[in-house]
Amino acid sequence: MKSALVLAAVLVMAMPVVSVPTVVDAQVLTGRGRATPTRRARPAPPRLSEAEENQLWDAQSEIDTIDEQIAEVRAAGETQGSLTTDQQAYLDAQSTRRTELQAIVTRLEAKKNR
């Protein structure tokens, strides 16, 4: 009798396991490997066109040039004791131009880094 039980146990263990899929298994398996609607890939941000890249580089180098010119005029004003009206007008014009260029640089860099 003992050998019959051992033989039955061996046969049961050797048989492949067959399971009946349930609704829960089907729900899990159908969602595997799919992107969820909330995790859609975002499209790549638009790159700067060649003209915009050139405009960015030109504006940045013109800002550097203006900064140097402003520093020179201020240094000349310090050696003289005060700025002349022409020097002050020149500084005001350069500061206005620098502000305009900085707005361009800021806009293009924001577009570039989106």
Side-chain angles (χ1 to χ4, degrees):
M1 177 79 167
K2 188 175 184 182
S3 63
L5 288 176
V6 170
L7 182 61
V10 168
L11 287 175
V12 169
M13 293 171 95
M15 291 177 62
V17 176
V18 178
S19 66
V20 178
T22 63
V23 173
V24 174
D25 293 332
Q27 288 175 347
V28 170
L29 294 175
T30 57
R32 192 179 298 170
R34 284 183 22 195
T36 59
T38 58
R39 290 189 181 181
R40 288 189 180 151
R42 296 180 70 190
R47 298 182 53 88
L48 293 179
S49 67
E50 188 174 334
E52 288 173 326
E53 285 184 16
N54 290 338
Q55 185 181 18
L56 176 63
W57 288 108
D58 291 343
Q60 287 174 334
S61 63
E62 193 171 342
I63 285 173
D64 292 340
T65 304
I66 288 173
D67 287 342
E68 291 172 4
Q69 292 171 351
I70 288 174
E72 289 173 4
V73 171
R74 286 191 176 150
E78 287 178 9
T79 57
Q80 295 172 357
S82 66
L83 295 173
T84 64
T85 55
D86 291 338
Q87 290 173 327
Q88 187 60 46
Y90 179 77
L91 283 180
D92 293 340
Q94 293 295 62
S95 296
T96 302
R97 178 69 181 141
R98 188 188 187 290
T99 303
E100 293 168 355
L101 291 170
Q102 188 60 48
I104 292 170
V105 168
T106 303
R107 177 181 57 84
L108 291 174
E109 284 181 345
K111 182 177 179 181
K112 178 180 169 183
N113 296 330
R114 285 194 264 174

